[in-house]
Amino acid sequence: MLATLKITFFFLLGIFLVWLSLKALTEEQISTIKTSIHEANFGLLALSIGIGILSHLIRAYRWNMLVEPMGYKPRFINSFNAVMAGYLVNYGVPRLGEISRCTLLTKYEKIAFTKTLGTVIAERVLDVFLFFVVFFLMLFTQYDTISAYFENYLLPPISNKINNLAQHTYFFSISSVIACAFLLLIYRFRKKISGKFSNKIKGLALSFGNGFSSIRKVKKRITFILLTFLIWVCYYASVHVCFYCLPLTAHLGFSEAITAFVFGSITVMITPGGIGAYPFALQKILLLVYFVPEAGGASIGWLSWLTSFVLILFLGLFSFISLPILNKNYEPIIPAEEIQTT
């Protein structure tokens, strides 16, 4: 029930942001968006899509590098299809894509689910690390611009909210009572809670350990590190190339592109595939920080999101269809020690 409510909430949030981003535009701006997309350089758009595909291919290859130290040798096509199918599932159910991805590789390569999950958890930790590298690169290269945006647009409303809440002492009293009651309930039922979640926590810890042990055992570590950085370079490049596709944004450079990339990535983390949130974020961040007209920000936001969505939709569906066909007579290589334990 809770999972269903969570999925529904994020989906509705995405739809709301789609409506909000379109509502803020005038008919003239919407007409400008349609015109600019119609006039887009489709050769460069194809290049952006190609860079996106390359990033997914590299991710699949790097995933195999994590799995192989455990004694398995999955086929590259199976790993790639599992990655793309997982991305597609994430558009409908956030974070279920990682589970689907592991399930598919377990099904067709006969690899223990906990082991594949461990490698995906390790990948996610690496992704978070690389995101913060890009985030701090953005701050380092344009600290004055970003800090001015925070001071002018973000801090004042937050400060006003805090001041308004501080004037209502009853709010803090009620919040304190609720917090104390919640802590007392946890303490009262601590044994049941601990028994219920201990096995799950142990399982996750084991998966996490297996994943990181596979990183330590990777044969070509320098190649692995370079591929990890290259994935994120491709992510950024696919967005930056999109800027050159439209007349309204062709003049923008590294600063605008990396900022759009960072804030766009955040929306993908909090809504299913960034639906609605991605174009809305690019539209507002480019307007408020770099004074790019809303039509230009909205155009590049929708174009960048739609190309990514269509790519994942097509490759994800193709992966789901092709996996059973490609593996009809396939027998994966299972390590000897794994056969003995079974």
Side-chain angles (χ1 to χ4, degrees), residues 37-96:
I37 292 177
H38 179 71
E39 296 173 351
N41 186 323
F42 288 97
L44 289 175
L45 190 60
L47 175 61
S48 175
I49 293 172
I51 294 171
I53 294 173
L54 177 61
S55 72
H56 303 320
L57 290 169
I58 295 171
R59 181 172 288 278
Y61 182 79
R62 191 190 64 171
W63 192 20
N64 275 3
M65 293 181 72
L66 284 175
V67 173
E68 285 174 359
M70 294 185 288
Y72 299 92
K73 292 185 178 180
R75 292 200 298 179
F76 175 76
I77 190 64
N78 282 343
S79 299
F80 176 72
N81 282 336
V83 167
M84 298 315 304
Y87 280 143
L88 180 60
V89 171
N90 270 337
Y91 271 96
V93 187
R95 300 302 153 224
L96 186 61

Side-chain angles (χ1 to χ4, degrees), residues 25 64 81 97 111 131 133 195 216 235 254 273 278 288 308 317:
L25 300 174
N64 275 3
N81 282 336
I111 304 173
F131 170 77
V133 168
R216 291 199 310 270
Y235 287 166
F254 171 80
Y278 188 95
L288 297 175
S308 176
L317 289 173

Side-chain angles (χ1 to χ4, degrees), residues 38-198:
H38 179 71
E39 296 173 351
N41 186 323
F42 288 97
L44 289 175
L45 190 60
L47 175 61
S48 175
I49 293 172
I51 294 171
I53 294 173
L54 177 61
S55 72
H56 303 320
L57 290 169
I58 295 171
R59 181 172 288 278
Y61 182 79
R62 191 190 64 171
W63 192 20
N64 275 3
M65 293 181 72
L66 284 175
V67 173
E68 285 174 359
M70 294 185 288
Y72 299 92
K73 292 185 178 180
R75 292 200 298 179
F76 175 76
I77 190 64
N78 282 343
S79 299
F80 176 72
N81 282 336
V83 167
M84 298 315 304
Y87 280 143
L88 180 60
V89 171
N90 270 337
Y91 271 96
V93 187
R95 300 302 153 224
L96 186 61
E98 282 73 18
I99 304 298
S100 301
R101 173 179 160 187
C102 296
T103 302
L104 288 170
L105 203 67
T106 296
K107 179 179 180 180
Y108 293 110
E109 293 289 348
K110 303 298 186 289
I111 304 173
F113 177 81
T114 54
K115 292 183 177 180
T116 56
L117 181 61
T119 58
V120 171
I121 291 173
E123 276 196 346
R124 284 292 166 253
V125 173
L126 290 172
D127 285 338
V128 171
F129 172 74
L130 264 296
F131 170 77
F132 279 108
V133 168
V134 176
F135 180 79
F136 285 113
L137 177 63
M138 177 192 73
L139 291 181
F140 179 76
T141 55
Q142 44 187 324
Y143 175 78
D144 293 338
T145 303
I146 299 298
S147 61
Y149 166 73
F150 274 88
E151 288 174 7
N152 294 330
Y153 295 100
L154 291 185
L155 292 182
I158 293 173
S159 177
N160 291 336
K161 278 285 184 184
I162 293 172
N163 290 334
N164 290 336
L165 289 174
Q167 294 173 5
H168 299 85
T169 54
Y170 68 86
F171 173 80
F172 287 101
S173 301
I174 294 172
S175 299
S176 300
V177 170
I178 292 173
C180 288
F182 181 69
L183 291 173
L184 284 171
L185 283 172
I186 291 177
Y187 180 76
R188 172 68 179 79
F189 298 103
R190 64 189 184 279
K191 291 183 179 179
K192 289 184 178 180
I193 293 172
S194 137
K196 187 175 181 179
F197 291 104
S198 61

Side-chain angles (χ1 to χ4, degrees), residues 165-338:
L165 289 174
Q167 294 173 5
H168 299 85
T169 54
Y170 68 86
F171 173 80
F172 287 101
S173 301
I174 294 172
S175 299
S176 300
V177 170
I178 292 173
C180 288
F182 181 69
L183 291 173
L184 284 171
L185 283 172
I186 291 177
Y187 180 76
R188 172 68 179 79
F189 298 103
R190 64 189 184 279
K191 291 183 179 179
K192 289 184 178 180
I193 293 172
S194 137
K196 187 175 181 179
F197 291 104
S198 61
N199 290 333
K200 290 185 178 180
I201 293 171
K202 286 177 183 177
L204 285 174
L206 181 62
S207 300
F208 192 75
N210 287 337
F212 269 89
S213 66
S214 65
I215 291 179
R216 291 199 310 270
K217 295 174 183 176
V218 166
K219 295 177 181 178
K220 300 177 181 178
R221 292 185 183 179
I222 295 177
T223 302
F224 180 83
I225 293 170
L226 289 175
L227 291 177
T228 299
F229 279 94
L230 187 56
I231 289 171
W232 281 78
V233 170
C234 288
Y235 287 166
Y236 162 78
S238 65
V239 174
H240 198 165
V241 170
C242 268
F243 276 56
Y244 297 123
C245 295
L246 300 177
L248 288 173
T249 55
H251 65 286
L252 302 178
F254 171 80
S255 298
E256 294 86 354
I258 195 170
T259 304
F261 171 65
V262 167
F263 282 89
S265 298
I266 292 172
T267 67
V268 173
M269 296 176 190
I270 62 175
T271 60
I275 179 173
Y278 188 95
F280 179 76
L282 264 61
Q283 173 189 333
K284 292 303 179 185
I285 201 70
L286 290 175
L287 171 68
L288 297 175
V289 180
Y290 304 104
F291 311 107
V292 176
E294 281 192 299
S299 296
I300 194 62
W302 281 107
L303 184 66
S304 180
W305 183 82
L306 280 171
T307 52
S308 176
F309 172 72
V310 171
L311 172 64
I312 289 174
L313 178 64
F314 175 77
L315 290 179
L317 289 173
F318 176 80
S319 296
F320 272 116
I321 295 169
S322 64
L323 271 169
I325 298 171
L326 293 171
N327 291 278
K328 188 175 182 181
N329 299 313
Y330 172 63
E331 289 296 332
I333 299 172
I334 302 175
E337 58 271 18
E338 192 74 19

